[in-house]
Amino acid sequence: MTAVLLEPQDLGHLVQFVPDLCFDDAERQAALLENGSRDFNAVPGSGKTSLLAAKLLLLAMKWPHPHKGICILSHTNVAREEITRRLAQSVEGSRLLAYPHFIGTIHGFVNQFLAMAALRQRELKVDVIDDAVFAKRAWSLANSNRYATLRVWLSKQHNAEVLVNKLFYKSATLDVVSEGGGLPGAHTATYKQMVALKKELTGVGIFRHRDMFAYAELALAEHPHLLDVVHRRFPMVFIDEMQDTSWEQEEILNRLFENRSTVQRFGDVDQKIISGDPESDKATFPRTGHGTISTSKRFGKRIAEAVASIRVSQQPVVGEADDACSPVLLLYKTTNINRVVYRFGELVVDRFAEDALTNRAVRAMCARRGGEGKVDPGRHMGDYWPAFERAQPSSTKDDLQVLLQWQRATLAERATEVRRGVLLTLRAAKAPVADELHDGRYLLRAVKEQQGDATQLQQLIRELTLTPPSFVSPDDRAALASTMYAHLACLLRAEMTAEEFAALKLFANPLMGEEKPTEGGPPTVCTVVHSDRELECSLGTVASMKGETHLASLVLESYGKNRRFDLQMALPFIAGLGKNFNKLTPAQQGQMRNLYVGMSRPTQFLCLAANESRVDAQTRLALAKKGWEIDVLS
Ligand SMILES: Nc1ncnc2c1ncn2[C@@H]1O[C@H](COP(=O)(O)OP(=O)(O)OP(=O)(O)O)[C@@H](O)[C@H]1O
């Protein structure tokens, strides 16, 4: 037996390891003491990630194997960082941060243990694995003369851009298909150009995340013994945020670990809001016999009642925290929609003293842009806050500003982003050293080989890693260009002047020339001044705020692709007007799940905003009877 067993007496160590957390209830104790393979479905704010971290700390104390480890997988870097942070606080936990254990995202795991083997065998280098970078390059290639046949065909397609931008390899045969829709027959010249385009990008190392799963399958097909190697290395596997795992990902994990290792999966099936998986009905989470955690430590009774009323599975949500204020329904008119977020800020200032707001998040969120059409506004964030739409970066790993200002990552990750940023700059400047160099990680080596010394480059990377540069004003950008030029001059073409370098497009401000959003403030922040106090409320999509805990949250109504407003549909459920969940279409259930994620973020104050034309008198009355305040924006 290679898995480690936890026993009731082990729980005594939790006071020392995680003194801020409480695991006294039967549901959490059962999850901690479960030693077999089992799923756990837990409500928002139940502390899934911290429970998992606590369990790992207990296992770390007893882990006896020098060459076998625990595999801990999450969907997002945020969850991975939370687990890592908790483990790093003790000597025992720190052991899990190194060999033989693995902590990372499912993507990272599949790349490291499977896909890279297949790529290496084919001598394929990876420049970047990033859907946005791929999309940008693929669309630009598709519009070039070399792909004229493809271009003509695309000009007749209504979904041309998405077809090209979402090309990916499927299964071990590396079939070229698109998430954007069907492609022409394999024998056609158009399809052959589509394949050539995909291969051209493969040749320069630009991949989409999904491609890695195809290479992983290829690795398993060519080397079936990898299955044994991986599961023997990891007798215990924990997966966080399981509801967001696509079937493609789950299938590979099942092949590796099911019925071989002890696998425990944590998540909340009602928070599944990542759509676009055509095989999502095959997903198995949560399996029959799963454990449950039904109490939330994040919010109290009133928010719990609202959240439970729209929970698609209809399972209970119990709020265990203190109940602070009544929820508010904020009704606006089409003519004053641009005041909604500001009004929410005023409501927050009225309810909380300055101290209570310090270091606590106040956020406004809305579903992703969905349906268009001639309907009263309130369709997406752009209707409430026009600057928001314009501020969305079109690309991530291909944008110097994003790379150099990546705030969330660890220092090591920041250095990787900075190296890539420097490589992009050298490429833009057509520096000889950047020719044929696809991966920022090899930049230092390439410079050393070429120049014999890379001290200047090293200094620049260190400086940018430790102090993220500002891009706000033209002066900031000129200063960055000047610093980079000073350190990189020896690598640039002899004729390149500092002025030419500073004029490179990647130092330009993407928002330059556009109307300023709010008196020069960032386009995703609303600054509210009320009662001689100031409050900042940041804005985002619900998906971008998943996993967050706020003091106060505003959920703005939105219009789905199915041409239904989410809150118009949900408010009668929240008001308890006896609506039936079984009558909701899959698209409407998706909207409900989105609201469920958004409405379950706040610890104390929940506010929903809807156009008054869409909320009838009966619903308003029923909500008021349940203790909701109705605030009509004048
Ligand atoms: N066992 C616990 N004891 C006390 N407080 C806890 C416990 N678990 C979580 N909390 C607190 O509850 C809040 C929500 O926790 P957390 O964000 O980890 O929940 P979650 O299950 O990941 O939520 P979601 O699914 O909504 O992302 C946090 O403020 C956290 O500190």
Side-chain angles (χ1 to χ4, degrees):
M1 186 66 189
T2 42
V4 165
L5 302 183
L6 291 179
E7 295 152 309
Q9 62 268 28
D10 294 324
L11 299 184
H13 295 286
L14 290 173
V15 187
Q16 166 206 340
F17 285 140
V18 278
D20 55 324
L21 300 177
C22 165
F23 296 105
D24 286 350
D25 58 290
E27 288 180 337
R28 282 180 180 76
Q29 295 207 348
L32 287 168
L33 293 175
E34 176 63 60
N35 287 314
S37 289
R38 199 172 181 203
D39 288 347
F40 292 91
N41 195 47
V43 300
S46 53
K48 292 177 269 298
T49 308
S50 37
L51 184 139
L52 177 53
K55 181 159 188 166
L56 291 168
L57 283 164
L58 298 180
L59 286 169
M61 283 190 347
K62 299 176 106 179
W63 196 256
H65 311 292
H67 301 298
K68 290 176 190 288
I70 304 178
C71 178
I72 303 136
L73 302 175
S74 64
H75 212 79
T76 60
N77 282 318
V78 181
R80 188 210 54 184
E81 279 163 22
E82 164 66 9
I83 295 175
T84 307
R85 188 183 63 79
R86 292 247 175 218
L87 295 179
Q89 283 167 0
S90 68
V91 178
E92 292 83 354
S94 303
R95 281 193 221 122
L96 295 187
L97 303 179
Y99 178 86
H101 309 285
F102 178 90
I103 304 185
T105 60
I106 296 175
H107 282 105
F109 177 80
V110 167
N111 293 357
Q112 182 175 330
F113 286 91
L114 302 173
M116 285 303 162
L119 289 164
R120 261 197 304 272
Q121 202 166 13
R122 281 159 187 75
E123 295 186 351
L124 288 171
K125 295 226 174 71
V126 175
D127 179 10
V128 65
I129 306 171
D130 188 283
D131 292 1
V133 173
F134 179 87
K136 200 166 140 188
R137 301 289 175 87
W139 186 239
S140 142
L141 271 188
N143 284 293
S144 69
N145 288 339
R146 270 182 298 135
Y147 293 97
T149 310
L150 175 61
R151 204 175 58 196
V152 171
W153 182 80
L154 287 171
S155 67
K156 296 179 205 134
Q157 311 303 315
H158 70 280
N159 54 347
E161 197 161 345
V162 69
L163 277 176
V164 172
N165 293 357
K166 298 199 168 182
L167 285 174
F168 70 100
Y169 291 125
K170 191 173 162 64
S171 69
T173 44
L174 301 187
D175 299 333
V176 174
V177 292
S178 174
E179 274 169 44
L183 300 180
H187 59 282
T188 61
T190 307
Y191 181 74
K192 285 179 184 149
Q193 285 212 339
M194 199 79 97
V195 172
L197 183 151
K198 178 76 182 159
K199 292 211 166 132
E200 183 171 343
L201 288 175
T202 301
V204 292
I206 297 177
F207 295 94
R208 297 189 71 229
H209 287 291
R210 278 191 82 166
D211 296 329
M212 292 301 122
F213 286 86
Y215 283 108
E217 287 194 35
L218 180 58
L220 286 174
E222 288 177 339
H223 308 286
H225 73 281
L226 273 176
L227 283 174
D228 289 335
V229 172
V230 176
H231 95 82
R232 281 208 197 106
R233 160 87 181 268
F234 297 113
M236 295 193 90
V237 181
F238 294 90
I239 310 175
D240 196 10
E241 303 174 319
M242 186 60 202
Q243 74 283 344
D244 290 331
T245 304
S246 69
W247 172 245
E248 191 176 36
Q249 298 167 347
E250 185 185 335
E251 198 184 18
I252 285 211
L253 295 176
N254 290 347
R255 280 175 69 191
L256 289 171
F257 300 121
E258 202 178 2
N259 299 326
R260 298 164 182 248
S261 305
T262 299
V263 182
Q264 296 189 2
R265 310 186 300 177
F266 294 77
D268 178 359
V269 70
D270 293 291
Q271 290 192 58
K272 188 180 178 75
I273 59 170
I274 313 286
S275 57
D277 177 10
E279 298 177 296
S280 62
D281 54 327
K282 292 187 183 164
T284 59
F285 182 82
R287 286 205 172 102
T288 319
H290 65 83
T292 299
I293 301 174
S294 48
T295 54
S296 177
K297 304 272 184 193
R298 180 179 290 140
F299 43 73
K301 203 164 153 286
R302 279 182 279 195
I303 295 177
E305 192 188 340
V307 170
S309 70
I310 52 156
R311 191 176 191 193
V312 174
S313 69
Q314 296 282 274
Q315 296 298 306
V317 180
V318 181
E320 275 194 342
D322 289 339
D323 216 5
C325 12
S326 305
V328 169
L329 174 65
L330 176 54
L331 295 174
Y332 59 84
K333 296 182 188 53
T334 298
T335 49
N336 59 19
I337 187 167
N338 58 354
R339 278 215 5 100
V340 171
V341 180
Y342 201 90
R343 175 65 189 147
F344 166 66
E346 292 174 349
L347 295 175
V348 173
V349 170
D350 287 343
R351 279 160 179 73
F352 299 96
E354 196 62 32
D355 290 1
L357 291 169
T358 311
N359 295 330
R360 312 290 292 281
V362 175
R363 306 257 198 267
M365 67 201 118
C366 191
R368 281 210 184 96
R369 199 184 177 105
E372 298 293 337
K374 285 194 176 155
V375 286
D376 285 347
R379 296 164 302 165
H380 50 78
M381 188 61 97
D383 276 355
Y384 301 91
W385 200 257
F388 182 83
E389 293 277 303
R390 295 196 297 272
Q392 297 312 295
S394 57
S395 155
T396 52
K397 303 251 161 136
D398 226 9
D399 181 325
L400 186 65
Q401 180 164 350
V402 175
L403 286 165
L404 298 190
Q405 295 196 313
W406 194 248
Q407 299 286 1
R408 222 172 208 168
T410 61
L411 214 55
E413 286 166 327
R414 263 196 58 70
T416 305
E417 304 284 291
V418 166
R419 276 194 291 264
R420 179 161 176 77
V422 173
L423 176 60
L424 287 187
T425 311
L426 288 168
R427 252 188 223 160
K430 301 205 170 22
V433 70
D435 282 352
E436 302 291 312
L437 187 64
H438 294 317
D439 190 330
R441 285 173 301 176
Y442 303 122
L443 180 60
L444 275 169
R445 199 167 68 195
V447 170
K448 262 189 209 146
E449 277 168 13
Q450 217 179 71
Q451 311 260 321
D453 176 54
T455 318
Q456 283 289 328
L457 177 64
Q458 244 162 341
Q459 272 176 7
L460 176 68
I461 293 171
R462 192 175 319 127
E463 199 175 306
L464 294 175
T465 303
L466 296 176
T467 321
S470 168
F471 277 76
V472 175
S473 70
D475 286 350
D476 291 336
R477 292 188 297 279
L480 172 66
S482 159
T483 307
M484 291 186 85
Y485 185 80
H487 286 86
L488 298 176
C490 57
L491 302 174
L492 301 175
R493 287 171 292 116
E495 67 274 18
M496 183 158 228
T497 63
E499 289 71 34
E500 276 177 80
F501 184 78
L504 291 173
K505 232 166 91 188
L506 81 180
F507 291 113
N509 182 355
L511 285 175
M512 206 160 58
E514 295 201 10
E515 164 202 349
K516 283 259 165 80
T518 48
E519 285 147 26
T524 54
V525 175
C526 167
T527 305
V528 179
V529 180
H530 178 60
S531 301
D532 291 331
R533 286 168 53 197
E534 197 174 294
L535 170 83
E536 284 201 341
C537 167
S538 40
L539 293 81
T541 59
V542 171
S544 73
M545 295 191 184
K546 208 169 172 212
E548 291 186 356
T549 295
H550 309 158
L551 174 78
S553 314
L554 167 66
V555 181
L556 299 155
E557 84 178 319
S558 77
Y559 192 53
K561 282 199 176 125
N562 58 351
R563 297 176 183 274
R564 292 288 304 267
F565 280 93
D566 52 5
L567 277 179
Q568 187 176 29
M569 169 187 63
L571 282 171
F573 286 88
I574 300 170
L577 291 175
K579 293 281 173 179
N580 188 349
F581 264 92
N582 299 332
K583 293 201 173 136
L584 296 182
T585 64
Q588 289 170 336
Q589 288 186 11
Q591 287 179 302
M592 283 293 206
R593 282 196 291 271
N594 217 60
L595 287 174
Y596 171 83
V597 171
M599 287 167 55
S600 57
R601 296 307 98 202
T603 53
Q604 310 216 4
F605 179 39
L606 170 65
C607 181
L608 307 179
N611 194 312
E612 64 174 20
S613 65
R614 288 189 280 268
V615 186
D616 59 36
Q618 187 198 10
T619 306
R620 291 184 206 192
L621 202 65
L623 281 171
K625 274 199 189 141
K626 275 188 167 287
W628 282 67
E629 286 175 33
I630 315 285
D631 189 86
V632 182
L633 192 55
S634 50

